[in-house]
Amino acid sequence: MPAQARTFSQSNATMDSRDIVYVNGSFLPRADARVSVEDRGFVFGDGVYEVVRAINGRLFAARFHNTRLERSLKGIRIDLVGDDSPERFVEIGKQLLRENKLLEGEATLYIQITRGATTRAHYFPPPEITPTVYISVARFTPYAALAEGGAAAISHPDLRWGRCDLKTLNLLPNVLASQTAKERGAFEAMLIRDGVVTEGAKTNFFGVVNGILRTHPRDNHILPGITRSVLEDLARSLSIELDETPISINEIPKVTELFLTGTTTDVMPIVKLDDKPVGSGRPGEITRRLQRVLAENLASAGD
Ligand code: PDD
């Protein structure tokens, strides 16, 4: 196995000695947590999720994640019940960080809501069936070495549906693309739809063409990444122009810098695409500047 593949195939989720999760109103050990086999998340992938970064107990950009979760829930027509709200889920997440002794260092918060458990039928269940809420936290180790030297990516067809802007549990095309990337010793799959780069299987993509930073516009073909939007603001503050014209496959040979962004990847330089070097084969100058400024922002910001 190539050295790089070994680095990122290690699991980030280590079992903490106090591994407490939240399911439907209860805090309990992960090993004792249960959802029904009739849960629509299990049967149909009928649900949405969020992944939030926690640094020394502070959640990064939690308000943006809340807004996106609200939008995803609305987008697939799940109504929360009682006191449940994205804000409440984040408070539960903070409690889980405390319970699991993850107030120091890096961790991730995972929030998943499904349409609930009922006898299988494609249409929505009756109103008395309430959503399933699952929230957990895990220790996280940033990909520091890879972020320093740069990672490899492959190009891959984007086989997803027409609402990639919603963060749903339906991740099969993402799973298959990620697995293909892994088998080819690459960190990420760069997805191509209608001749342009959309995003990654679990990240957003940026590239520099003719000296201009480019990324896919925010529309139904990409997830509006929280890191992507933070980076947009940071680029503006550094007077780096960002053009939201997608990179076409014909332009790929002219790409001098390539990087991806995500909650668990930060700014990750891509120095090899489909086994060919990108630009000089080393992380480029714009990538490095944005990498630095995002790291500063992550270290200082939080809710
Ligand atoms: N993935 N695009 C896709 C398809 C994603 O799944 C993600 C996040 C991103 C980046 O979004 P953000 O900056 O908000 O993390 C873009 C998460 C981390 C996951 O599925 O684990």
Side-chain angles (χ1 to χ4, degrees), residues 28-40:
L28 69 179
R30 191 185 299 260
D32 299 334
R34 298 277 180 274
V35 290
S36 166
V37 290
E38 299 275 36
D39 194 275
R40 291 179 65 100

Side-chain angles (χ1 to χ4, degrees), residues 119-196:
T119 312
R120 186 178 186 277
H122 284 68
Y123 44 76
F124 293 179
E128 64 271 19
I129 303 298
T130 53
T132 301
V133 178
Y134 166 58
I135 306 175
S136 68
V137 290
R139 177 60 74 198
F140 167 68
T141 309
Y143 302 100
L146 208 52
E148 188 50 39
I154 58 161
S155 55
H156 191 281
D158 189 342
L159 303 173
R160 300 172 303 160
W161 71 325
R163 291 305 306 275
C164 299
D165 55 317
L166 304 175
K167 200 161 172 61
T168 79
L169 298 176
N170 272 278
L171 291 173
L172 194 50
N174 310 56
V175 165
L176 293 173
S178 288
Q179 181 61 21
T180 303
K182 188 179 171 197
E183 285 166 2
R184 289 179 48 190
F187 179 75
E188 178 61 304
M190 184 178 84
L191 304 179
I192 311 287
R193 182 196 292 262
D194 297 334
V196 304

